[in-house]
Amino acid sequence: MTKESYSTKTTANEKGIHTDFINNMTYGEYLKLDQILSGQERLSDHHDEMLFIVIHQVSELWMKLILHETNAAIHSIQSGDMQTSFKQLARVSKIQSQIIQAWDVLSTLTPAEYMEFRDSLGQASGFQSYQYRLIEFALGYKTPHILKIYEKDAELHKQLKEAYEGPGLYDVAIDALAEAGFKINPEVLNRDYSKPYEEDDSVRDAWLTVYRDVENYWDLYQLAEKLVDIEDWLQQWRFRHMKTVERIIGFKVGTGGSSGVNYLKKVLDQRFFPELWSLRTEI
């Protein structure tokens, strides 16, 4: 029996399979696949530009889900629902593992192939990804000059500004420490969220107590480790990004005007949850 006849026979035996969709919604309609799959428009005739477009679009979809789960986790922590936040943050880490693997696919693009269509990108660059900036804001990394990139779109700029000025994941985690009775520096609890977070002794001491008394602070301990997971994966994503860029364009200036690899190397030194890393030396 051929594969084709086997497949036909197998389908025929499934009497309950729906085949009439004249008045019913199809899989493609539900997912709006006509819109999604028509969005890969190459600006050059080069075969590999399709790879470049698809990888970045898929990454943006994963980032949308990261934001969906991270923002939900922020609200869960604020409402004291730690167990739900753990599920949401664990999902973020799994998504991050997927988005990291995308670099392996993009790495199949050689320097010679990329140079064939690079000029078609103009000044467009992943540096301008607003969802990536929203993720940075949600994790507490705020830089004011970034907002200028999005002034072209008033609604988008408003969304970014609200996230820029709002509490991030670490801010609500620190609030949870205070709710649990830890004495947190009032300047930290009442700080301007648009300013970059700076390491604080009271926060470090609180996390140290949590790690030294896990049994009594199990929820906070789990929260801390979920945050470490997310930062760890994010740094691995950044590292793979940097190495992929170096592999494809070396140390050329990025299409968006950044220093390319040199810029990507510098951001590897950024910390989102500093006390959770520094305390490991003291435990």
Side-chain angles (χ1 to χ4, degrees), residues 172-210:
V172 298
I174 292 171
D175 288 342
L177 288 172
E179 286 289 327
F182 289 101
K183 292 182 179 179
I184 304 297
N185 182 353
E187 292 183 5
V188 173
L189 296 175
N190 301 309
R191 74 186 192 86
D192 180 351
Y193 295 129
S194 68
K195 305 296 182 185
Y197 176 77
E198 295 183 4
E199 194 165 355
D200 183 86
D201 288 344
S202 67
V203 175
R204 187 197 65 236
D205 291 344
W207 285 126
L208 266 173
T209 301
V210 168

Side-chain angles (χ1 to χ4, degrees), residues 103-215:
W103 295 121
D104 294 337
V105 183
L106 189 59
S107 291
T108 65
L109 180 68
T110 68
E113 290 164 346
Y114 181 52
M115 292 310 295
E116 289 290 324
F117 64 85
R118 189 183 191 228
D119 288 346
S120 300
L121 305 180
Q123 295 179 327
S125 165
F127 183 85
Q128 298 145 17
S129 168
Y130 71 86
Q131 290 199 124
Y132 178 72
R133 297 306 171 186
L134 285 170
I135 290 171
E136 284 192 328
F137 292 172
L139 299 184
Y141 184 72
K142 313 284 182 74
T143 47
H145 67 278
I146 291 298
L147 292 175
K148 185 171 179 61
I149 296 172
Y150 310 100
E151 289 178 348
K152 180 179 180 179
D153 185 328
E155 281 301 311
L156 177 58
H157 186 267
K158 179 182 177 183
Q159 180 186 354
L160 282 150
K161 195 168 186 297
E162 288 176 356
Y164 179 79
E165 294 173 347
L169 186 58
Y170 200 43
D171 295 312
V172 298
I174 292 171
D175 288 342
L177 288 172
E179 286 289 327
F182 289 101
K183 292 182 179 179
I184 304 297
N185 182 353
E187 292 183 5
V188 173
L189 296 175
N190 301 309
R191 74 186 192 86
D192 180 351
Y193 295 129
S194 68
K195 305 296 182 185
Y197 176 77
E198 295 183 4
E199 194 165 355
D200 183 86
D201 288 344
S202 67
V203 175
R204 187 197 65 236
D205 291 344
W207 285 126
L208 266 173
T209 301
V210 168
Y211 273 78
R212 286 171 173 166
D213 191 2
V214 172
E215 186 174 340

Side-chain angles (χ1 to χ4, degrees), residues 85-97:
S85 77
F86 298 156
K87 174 64 180 293
Q88 291 158 340
L89 295 175
R91 182 173 290 164
V92 170
S93 293
K94 291 296 184 182
I95 298 165
Q96 288 175 299
S97 71

Side-chain angles (χ1 to χ4, degrees), residues 181-276:
F182 289 101
K183 292 182 179 179
I184 304 297
N185 182 353
E187 292 183 5
V188 173
L189 296 175
N190 301 309
R191 74 186 192 86
D192 180 351
Y193 295 129
S194 68
K195 305 296 182 185
Y197 176 77
E198 295 183 4
E199 194 165 355
D200 183 86
D201 288 344
S202 67
V203 175
R204 187 197 65 236
D205 291 344
W207 285 126
L208 266 173
T209 301
V210 168
Y211 273 78
R212 286 171 173 166
D213 191 2
V214 172
E215 186 174 340
N216 285 322
Y217 297 107
W218 180 247
D219 278 357
L220 290 170
Y221 173 69
Q222 285 190 86
L223 175 59
E225 285 298 291
K226 289 290 186 290
L227 298 184
V228 170
D229 286 342
I230 287 171
E231 181 164 346
D232 190 353
W233 281 112
L234 181 66
Q235 294 294 57
Q236 290 186 52
W237 182 89
R238 284 174 159 181
F239 178 78
R240 289 294 296 123
H241 184 190
M242 182 268 292
K243 295 306 293 183
T244 303
V245 171
E246 183 178 0
R247 175 173 177 155
I248 296 174
I249 68 168
F251 286 82
K252 291 185 181 73
V253 173
T255 51
S258 75
S259 58
V261 170
N262 288 324
Y263 168 78
L264 296 173
K265 282 184 176 180
K266 283 188 291 187
V267 300
L268 286 171
D269 293 328
Q270 294 171 359
R271 285 293 191 198
F272 294 91
F273 318 128
E275 292 88 356
L276 294 179

